[in-house]
């Protein structure tokens, strides 16, 4: 009984972190710019396009560099969103770590501990990614090169998305043993891993599909925390 109570505490704590994740996700959606005059082919979300940007030319086109007024608005919105993102990343990585820990405590399978380990690595990668995005804008405004920033951005971005995909892949067996919501979340987790692999080798609209699938998995996992009473896996 004591163990079940402890597991419920972990689950509810994870759920609270998940709720904060959703709230901050909504806040970020309003903070980041919703459009850009030109994004790389396949992208329709400016911040996602920025995360996967590859060249100086693409960056300037994304930020409307030839239009001073529009550029100022885009950079201001990007900077605001990136600063708020530190709360978001803290919430979602805590959620992933706690959820993985709950899976371990219930199943007694050590593989879920890997999710607890990877979650803070994702946080660090996301932090570096944000620093690089800020440096890129600052350096462009100063007329300096952003080549090294773009290279580090790519590395940190893929550690982040790859880490999230890895945690999702670890959770699939646990989720698949649950009900309809759980199985649906497991299916979306599998899709997100599939999209991550494709996007890694071919930047395209699949990057946006990756982002969307990850959001849906988070929603499913958060609902799972408050609706599932699974005590074994």
């Amino acid at each position: 009984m004591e163990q079940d109570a402890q597991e419920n505490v972990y689950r509810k704590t994870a759920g609270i972190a998940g709720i904060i994740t959703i709230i901050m996700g909504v806040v970020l959606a309003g903070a980041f710019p919703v459009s850009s005059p030109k994004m790389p082919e396949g992208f329709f979300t400016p911040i996602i396009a920025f995360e996967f940007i590859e060249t100086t030319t693409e960056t300037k086109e994304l930020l409307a560099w030839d239009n001073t007024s529009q550029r100022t608005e885009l950079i201001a919105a990007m900077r605001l969103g990136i600063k708020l993102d530190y709360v978001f990343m803290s919430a979602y990585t805590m959620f992933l770590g706690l959820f993985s820990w709950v899976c371990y405590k219930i199943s007694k399978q050590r593989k879920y501990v890997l999710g607890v380990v990877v979650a803070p690595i994702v946080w660090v990668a996301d932090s570096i990614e944000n620093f690089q995005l800020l440096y890129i804008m600052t350096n462009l405004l100063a007329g300096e090169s952003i080549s090294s920033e773009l290279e580090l951005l790519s590395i940190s971005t893929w550690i982040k998305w790859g880490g999230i995909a890895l945690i999702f892949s670890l959770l699939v067996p646990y989720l698949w043993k649950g009900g309809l919501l759980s199985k649906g979340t497991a299916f979306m987790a599998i899709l997100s891993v599939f999209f991550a692999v494709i996007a890694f080798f071919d930047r395209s609209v699949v990057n946006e599909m990756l982002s969307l699938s990850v959001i849906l998995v988070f929603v499913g996992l958060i609902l799972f925390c408050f609706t599932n009473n699974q005590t074994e896996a």
Side-chain angles (χ1 to χ4, degrees):
M1 290 294 292
E2 183 178 347
Q3 182 177 349
D4 289 345
Q6 187 180 47
E7 290 165 358
N8 284 330
V9 169
Y10 284 129
R11 185 184 292 115
K12 291 303 191 311
T13 303
I16 292 171
I19 290 175
I20 296 174
T21 298
I22 290 179
I23 293 173
M24 286 307 303
V26 173
V27 171
L28 287 180
F32 280 119
V34 296
S35 63
S36 169
K38 186 175 182 180
M39 288 178 270
E41 185 176 357
F43 288 89
F44 49 82
T45 309
I47 184 56
I48 299 300
F50 202 1
E51 289 184 13
F52 292 101
I53 213 76
E54 293 180 347
T55 68
T56 301
T57 299
E58 287 181 345
T59 307
K60 288 184 174 181
E61 290 175 343
L62 174 70
L63 298 174
W65 212 252
D66 294 332
N67 186 320
T68 304
S69 176
Q70 195 172 13
R71 178 186 68 195
T72 301
E73 292 179 2
L74 281 167
I75 290 178
M78 286 292 187
R79 282 176 169 167
L80 174 61
I82 289 169
K83 291 175 182 178
L84 292 172
D85 190 41
Y86 283 97
V87 179
F88 177 69
M89 73 172 72
S90 298
Y92 85 74
T93 53
M94 180 181 295
F95 171 75
L96 289 177
L98 286 171
F99 194 97
S100 298
W101 183 251
V102 170
C103 293
Y104 164 67
K105 294 293 288 185
I106 292 176
S107 70
K108 307 305 180 186
Q109 296 182 31
R110 292 183 180 180
K111 64 181 179 181
Y112 296 115
V113 177
L114 180 58
V116 181
V117 175
V118 173
I121 294 175
V122 171
W123 187 91
V124 172
D126 205 344
S127 297
I128 294 174
E129 176 193 79
N130 279 354
F131 277 124
Q132 292 311 115
L133 293 174
L134 291 171
Y135 284 146
I136 285 171
M137 290 184 288
T138 298
N139 285 5
L140 279 179
L141 287 170
E144 299 176 1
S145 172
I146 59 171
S147 298
S148 60
E149 281 74 17
L150 288 173
E151 290 178 5
L152 187 53
L153 172 65
S154 178
I155 295 171
S156 57
T157 295
W158 274 113
I159 291 176
K160 179 188 79 171
W161 289 102
I164 292 172
L166 174 58
I167 293 175
F168 285 176
S169 66
L170 291 171
L171 297 178
V172 167
Y174 182 90
L175 294 168
W176 197 256
K177 295 182 180 181
L180 185 60
L181 170 64
S182 186
K183 281 184 169 61
T185 304
F187 176 73
M188 287 308 305
I190 294 171
L191 271 184
S192 70
V193 175
F194 176 70
F195 290 148
V197 172
I198 294 178
F200 181 78
F201 292 102
D202 181 25
R203 191 190 67 170
S204 63
V205 69
V206 177
N207 294 68
E208 291 277 4
M209 295 167 67
L210 167 61
S211 174
L212 178 59
S213 65
V214 166
I215 292 172
L216 293 176
V217 174
F218 269 105
V219 172
L221 291 177
I222 293 165
L223 291 175
F224 182 89
C225 287
F226 293 102
T227 61
N228 188 273
N229 293 316
Q230 188 171 333
T231 58
E232 60 181 11

